[in-house]
Every structure is written in structure tokens, then in C-alpha cells.
Amino acid sequence: MNDDFFDIAELVSKYLTGDLTVAEQKCLDDWLGLAEENREWFRLVTSEEFVSRKRQELKSIDVQAGWRALSRKRARGHKRSLWIDFLKYACMFILVVSPVIYFCMQNTSNCVDINAMQVEINPGIPKAMLHMADGSIVDLAVRSRDTLKELDGTLIGLHGESIVYKNMDASENTDTVGKVNLYNELVVPRGGEFVLELSDGTSVCLNAGSKLKFPVRFCGDKRQVELEGEGYFQVARNEKMPFVVQASGMDITVLGTEFNISNYPENAEVQTTLIKGAVKVTNLKNEDSFVLKPGEQAVLNKQNGKMTVAEVDVSYAIAWKEGYLRFRDRPLKEIMDFIARWYDVDVVYEDEEVKDYLFGCNFDRQETIEPLLGFFERTGTVHFRIRDRQIVVSK
């Protein structure tokens, strides 16, 4: 069961529920046009006969026996990897038909508690707080003017969903240029996102729950910023002044390129994914460094200080910037952490082991939260209850 099938299964699942976007419908149509065997498989898995048969097979699964077997393996000192593998492929087995099965079985199974929620949980919106050099804090979601002015005279343009720092020549402000290095910090709360254009023309898109500390204007022999959280960088090229991002023990040095960094405090790893160009990643603990090629990702383990590099599908790393929640074979806790930040909710686990269940999804992150949780519930492995802005997860 390869990765291509996973992607097609996602598309067919959304086809069955009428949730395909125009782009996704085109992808499905292109795949169907490749071969008759693709069309034959599609007709099979979307037929009423197939769905009915799989429904009966799913009913026959002895879930309790599975848990008893798992307990016996744990008693012998085995980890739960075998059970997780079972869940992974069981979820894949029902991914295509689960939406139809869900609707067919609604009258004979318990209703999802998310339908009874009192508050609709909407996705994030552009919002951020700008901490200026004089200690003042500006709420960028409340736009009462078009520009701000820093202590050194730098003008900051406010554009609703983004801010732009004007690149001033030294001649424009000879009294302050070079005498003091002023720093600002852009803080994007949970339930937000924001775009920043630095004074050198570099663009940074910040995800929910992120902070970027940066100089108002760059001087010296390098352009250095500090990131906590997640940001997508499109760095303006300047060979005389490399751009450096500091992120929890990892330095990312570039001349001009596009890359994504994920560095949330609660996560055990710092991930740098290169989209275009080249970057050098340095492990500050032991000074090891690697030069990444497009399509490669460097991962730094914060606890043991080890860094690894591997080729990856970059579409998963930058899906958030493209407007999607996209994961493949990731622990539920990792996905729910992302959801908690974007939808600004708290997540509580009644059963700790569900945190490690592997899931995948490709979901429009501008949708409200209940369709996504409903998609996970239809695998039959987890259950969600929503209390105001708290999500309770159980088996």
C-alpha cells in the first residue's frame, strides 16, 4: 500500500462526501484518465454493493479481541508498534468507504458529540501583535492608521494581513543609522497567521503560535533573526550579507532561497525543509553542519542534540501556507497540537494511548473544525467531545 494509493484514497473519500475542491477534482480526473484499471477500481469502491459488503466486514471486526491481544504483547514487554501498524492499515482499509459507511450506519450508532456543540469553532484569521523598540505593543488586527514609525525613523506599512518595513538608505536618517540596532518582535497568537516583509525585502509568513524577533534594519555582515514557532521564509538574495535564522540550537544560513522552519517549544524537534535554493543548517551543540538540497529536511532532536537529513515530500511541510491541514501517518497528538494552535482550542486526552495512533488527512484549514474531527471519528478508532473550546479525545 504505497503513498500514491494514500493520496488517491483521500481524494475518493472526499469525492464520496462531495468535499472535493476544484483542484482536487482535477487531480482525481487526471488519475482516472491514466488507465482503464484506475477507472475500474474507482467504479468498484464507489458502488453500493462494495460499500454494503465492507460494512458487514467492519461489523465483524472483534475490537475487544484486538485490545486483549495488545495487552498480552505488552505483558511480554513488546511495544505497541504492531498495534499501531494494524491501526494504520485498518484506517487505510476503510478510508475510501468510511464516509458512506458512516452515513449508512448513523441510525444504528451513537451520534457524534461534536454535533451538539454550543460554539462553532472557526479557523484562524490574520492577526498579530507588534512589539516595538520603545516597549509599545500594537494590535495589528485593529487597523486605525496606515503606517507606524520606529525610533530611528523607519516607516512600517500596515496592510491588513501584512506589514512592510521600508528599506531606507543611510542618507535618509544619518543621525540614527549605525548608532543603535533596534529590534521588533512580531507575535502571532493561537488562531492567527500573519505576513511580514523585512527591511531587506525578505518575506516571512508566520503560522499560529509563532514569534519572530528581528532588527528594524539590517547592518553588519549578516541578517539575523530568531524564530519560535513556524515560519515560511522567502529570502531576498544578498551575497555580501547572509541571512541567518536562529531556532532552538539550529542555525539556518542562506543567501537567497525559500524554506520552512518548524520550531514550536512543545515539539521535540526543529525541522527545516528546503523548497528552493540552498541552505546550510548548523547544529550549535556540536557544530555539525549540512548543506540542504531542495526536497531535503533537516531534523534536530532538542533532547539529545542529534541532527539528521533526509529527502521528504515538501508539500506536507508547507501545506499550512497553502491553506491545508495535510498529514500522512502522523501521531494523533502531533495533528491535534497543530489543530489546537490554528483553531485556538485546548485538547484533553481521556486515553493516553490514542496520542500515538497514526492518521492522515488533507483538509481545507479554512473550514470549521467539526468536519475534520468527524473524518477522524469515522475510522472507528477515536471519539471526540467538544465543550465550549475544549476538545476531549477518547477511544
Side-chain angles (χ1 to χ4, degrees):
M1 191 168 298
N2 57 32
D3 291 345
D4 291 338
F5 180 81
F6 187 99
D7 290 333
I8 294 302
E10 285 183 302
L11 293 178
V12 174
S13 178
K14 296 182 75 173
Y15 166 85
L16 290 169
T17 55
D19 292 330
L20 280 175
T21 65
V22 174
E24 289 169 341
Q25 181 66 64
K26 184 179 184 306
C27 287
L28 179 59
D29 291 341
D30 289 345
W31 182 78
L32 291 173
L34 290 176
E36 174 59 31
E37 61 183 19
N38 293 351
R39 295 188 291 273
E40 183 177 345
W41 177 84
F42 178 79
R43 287 191 293 268
L44 169 66
V45 299
T46 56
S47 68
E48 293 184 8
E49 179 184 357
F50 180 86
V51 171
S52 177
R53 185 173 73 252
K54 294 304 177 184
R55 174 186 173 186
Q56 295 302 318
E57 291 176 2
L58 287 171
K59 281 185 175 181
S60 68
I61 295 176
D62 190 343
V63 177
Q64 294 301 322
W67 283 115
R68 288 194 296 271
L70 173 63
S71 299
R72 288 194 297 271
K73 289 183 180 296
R74 283 177 174 163
R76 293 196 299 267
H78 290 283
K79 297 182 179 179
R80 57 176 170 267
S81 59
L82 292 177
W83 178 245
I84 295 300
D85 285 344
F86 167 76
L87 285 175
K88 169 182 172 181
Y89 290 106
C91 290
M92 184 68 80
F93 169 73
I94 66 172
L95 179 60
V96 174
V97 297
S98 61
V100 172
I101 294 172
Y102 170 73
F103 290 116
C104 290
M105 299 178 67
Q106 271 188 332
N107 295 329
T108 59
S109 60
N110 293 329
C111 293
V112 180
D113 287 349
I114 58 178
N115 293 327
M117 68 183 190
Q118 297 178 347
V119 179
E120 185 176 63
I121 299 179
N122 293 308
I125 59 174
K127 58 181 177 180
M129 307 295 289
L130 180 64
H131 295 242
M132 302 187 69
D134 63 359
S136 61
I137 302 175
V138 180
D139 185 349
L140 299 177
V142 181
R143 184 182 173 190
S144 58
R145 45 188 165 167
D146 294 328
T147 59
L148 297 172
K149 193 172 185 178
E150 253 300 356
L151 294 175
D152 64 353
T154 297
L155 296 178
I156 308 169
L158 310 182
H159 303 286
E161 299 182 0
S162 65
I163 59 174
V164 177
Y165 282 71
K166 185 180 178 182
N167 188 8
M168 298 174 62
D169 293 331
S171 59
E172 295 185 52
N173 197 343
T174 56
D175 292 336
T176 57
V177 171
K179 292 185 179 181
V180 61
N181 206 11
L182 301 181
Y183 283 85
N184 285 180
E185 185 175 52
L186 189 66
V187 179
V188 180
R190 298 202 320 171
E193 62 181 351
F194 216 78
V195 177
L196 163 68
E197 184 176 311
L198 299 170
S199 61
D200 67 334
T202 291
S203 176
V204 186
C205 182
L206 292 175
N207 205 354
S210 300
K211 301 177 185 178
L212 186 74
K213 184 178 180 181
F214 54 94
V216 171
R217 65 182 72 185
F218 294 105
C219 57
D221 58 356
K222 63 182 177 181
R223 298 166 287 167
Q224 185 166 295
V225 301
E226 298 177 23
L227 173 70
E228 177 182 298
E230 186 164 30
Y232 184 89
F233 292 77
Q234 294 175 284
V235 178
R237 189 172 186 84
N238 185 341
E239 295 182 2
K240 296 180 180 179
M241 190 182 292
F243 193 94
V244 180
V245 183
Q246 293 185 325
S248 295
M250 177 189 285
D251 272 7
I252 301 93
T253 304
V254 302
L255 296 177
T257 188
E258 295 184 26
F259 57 98
N260 190 83
I261 302 175
S262 181
N263 175 37
Y264 285 105
E266 62 270 27
N267 290 356
E269 300 173 338
V270 183
Q271 298 178 348
T272 298
T273 310
L274 182 61
I275 313 302
K276 297 179 181 178
V279 302
K280 182 175 77 172
V281 292
T282 303
N283 183 351
L284 298 182
K285 186 172 183 178
N286 57 22
E287 298 301 323
D288 283 347
S289 63
F290 299 89
V291 176
L292 299 185
K293 296 181 295 185
E296 290 185 333
Q297 182 181 80
V299 178
L300 174 66
N301 186 302
K302 295 179 183 178
Q303 185 173 5
N304 61 28
K306 293 182 179 180
M307 186 163 64
T308 58
V309 174
E311 290 188 9
V312 297
D313 183 343
V314 299
S315 66
Y316 287 90
I318 65 173
W320 68 271
K321 179 180 173 291
E322 305 298 325
Y324 291 94
L325 297 169
R326 191 162 191 250
F327 298 91
R328 172 181 292 165
D329 293 345
R330 303 308 304 166
L332 179 62
K333 184 182 184 304
E334 179 180 324
I335 299 176
M336 294 305 297
D337 284 347
F338 196 103
I339 289 172
R341 289 189 292 264
W342 178 236
Y343 288 92
D344 189 15
V345 294
D346 295 319
V347 181
V348 177
Y349 297 89
E350 288 188 345
D351 299 286
E352 288 292 313
E353 52 198 309
V354 302
K355 293 180 178 180
D356 296 324
Y357 289 1
L358 301 184
F359 284 89
C361 65
N362 188 18
F363 188 77
D364 185 345
R365 79 179 200 146
Q366 297 304 322
E367 295 284 345
T368 56
I369 200 170
E370 63 272 18
L372 177 59
L373 299 184
F375 175 78
F376 289 153
E377 280 212 340
R378 290 195 291 271
T379 66
T381 59
V382 289
H383 181 68
F384 300 95
R385 300 196 309 278
I386 294 182
R387 302 169 181 167
D388 294 326
R389 302 196 69 83
Q390 183 184 82
I391 301 175
V392 181
V393 190
S394 61
K395 294 186 291 187

